[in-house]
Amino acid sequence: MIGPDQAWRSLNRANWDERVAVHLGAEDYELGALRAGRGGLNPIEEAELGPVDGLRVLHPQCHFGRDSLILAQRGAEVTGLDFSPPAIAAARELAAELDLAGRTRFVEADLYDAQAAIPEPGSFDLVFVTWGAINWLPDIRRWAEIVAWFVKPGGALYLAEAHPAALVLDDAAPRHGDMPGWFVPYFHREPLVLDDPRDYADATARLRNARTYQWIHPLGEIVTALLTAGLTLRWLHEHEAVTWRMFEVLVEDASGMYRWPERPWLPLAFSLRAERLL
């Protein structure tokens, strides 16, 4: 269980602080299109999100703000939140460079402190949460309450994430041929304490702050938490592809997404829209 010293938070923050410099130069976070005014999201978001022009958007766990700035380029007024000081500093620098400072603000705060850091209940048209966000959080019910607190009547949460059914596998576990091995049960409740110096966006990087705490949240718990928090599920999609090479055996398709070879053995990602009714 999580100790009273909350070591998980400081360890995770140190890990993400170190990743900022790595990701600013990583091919997977290519910034050329963003700097040219035509930044693109991943194919799943592009197909599902819809227009954001004129919307007030909250982007929790925004990292260094790449996707926040893409949404701002499309006409949204975006507030990004992240617990990493280097990430927020980089986001503000990019916003100034791209002349988007007037459409964006970047707030340094832990997700669980978001309501104090941004005291604006029910004021966002869209809360945008994507890719490798909720696995860093121990309390999914509290996350859902915070998200719902920010959504205005008629507004929505858009969530796109790795599928928890795939997260039970790992390349470091005993393999089955080319396939990743079983790593942890789907209903595992304890934090996963991982010592992994690798970075998903740069295969050559080796992180000094390698220990992290992560959690698996079953899909039913995520949906139930959002419903309990007062949102209404509009749709839930499961996907055969994910945005990064989650496992070595995955193959890249023409769109830049990664899929199982031969057949879709398990869903690799999911996305949903949950709304606050008028």
Side-chain angles (χ1 to χ4, degrees):
M1 297 297 291
I2 303 167
D5 60 349
Q6 301 291 293
W8 65 272
R9 183 180 280 108
S10 59
L11 289 169
N12 287 356
R13 182 183 291 116
N15 179 271
W16 279 98
D17 286 351
E18 188 176 353
R19 289 182 196 262
V20 174
V22 175
H23 292 173
L24 285 170
E27 183 177 349
D28 283 5
Y29 282 96
E30 193 274 323
L31 298 176
L34 178 66
R35 289 186 164 112
R38 48 182 174 79
L41 302 170
N42 292 295
I44 290 174
E45 299 102 287
E46 293 288 6
E48 297 176 338
L49 186 60
V52 297
D53 186 21
L55 299 185
R56 291 198 72 212
V57 177
L58 176 64
H59 185 190
Q61 297 168 275
C62 68
H63 196 24
F64 67 85
R66 176 183 176 273
D67 288 357
S68 308
L69 294 165
I70 290 171
L71 298 176
Q73 282 184 336
R74 298 181 181 187
E77 178 187 331
V78 184
T79 298
L81 176 96
D82 201 273
F83 71 166
S84 167
I88 290 298
R92 290 170 178 164
E93 289 177 10
L94 273 172
E97 175 191 339
L98 299 171
D99 198 25
L100 290 170
R103 273 198 178 146
T104 58
R105 61 172 167 161
F106 290 99
V107 178
E108 180 191 324
D110 185 88
L111 182 280
Y112 290 122
D113 298 326
Q115 291 161 300
I118 308 170
E120 302 170 25
S123 60
F124 289 92
D125 301 288
L126 178 70
V127 177
F128 178 82
V129 182
T130 60
W131 310 119
I134 61 175
N135 58 295
W136 299 93
L137 302 173
D139 188 341
I140 200 66
R141 288 184 178 272
R142 181 66 185 134
W143 167 82
E145 291 168 357
I146 292 167
V147 165
W149 188 82
F150 282 110
V151 176
K152 68 187 293 185
L157 161 72
Y158 176 78
L159 172 65
E161 264 291 6
H163 202 293
L167 296 178
V168 304
L169 304 175
D170 193 271
D171 284 323
R175 305 284 288 269
H176 303 280
D178 292 332
M179 299 293 282
W182 295 106
F183 172 56
V184 67
Y186 183 73
F187 294 106
H188 187 79
R189 290 293 186 270
E190 300 298 312
L192 305 173
V193 184
L194 307 177
D195 290 291
D196 187 351
R198 297 171 298 171
D199 182 81
Y200 61 88
D202 183 347
T204 67
R206 290 298 178 267
L207 304 173
R208 297 184 306 277
N209 296 287
R211 173 162 289 192
T212 61
Y213 282 64
Q214 300 181 44
W215 288 263
I216 290 180
H217 301 296
L219 189 57
E221 290 189 4
I222 297 168
V223 171
T224 300
L226 292 170
L227 297 177
T228 302
L231 300 181
T232 297
L233 185 66
R234 181 60 58 195
W235 46 257
L236 168 65
H237 299 154
E238 295 176 289
H239 303 279
E240 299 175 5
V242 70
T243 58
W244 73 97
R245 182 167 270 126
M246 184 185 291
F247 308 117
E248 293 172 5
V249 72
L250 300 185
V251 295
E252 187 175 5
D253 66 18
S255 73
M257 300 286 284
Y258 293 89
R259 300 175 177 273
W260 296 107
E262 299 180 5
R263 67 186 72 181
W265 294 100
L266 284 171
L268 292 168
F270 76 96
S271 56
L272 61 81
R273 182 179 175 92
E275 301 175 348
R276 181 173 295 286
L277 300 181
L278 290 168

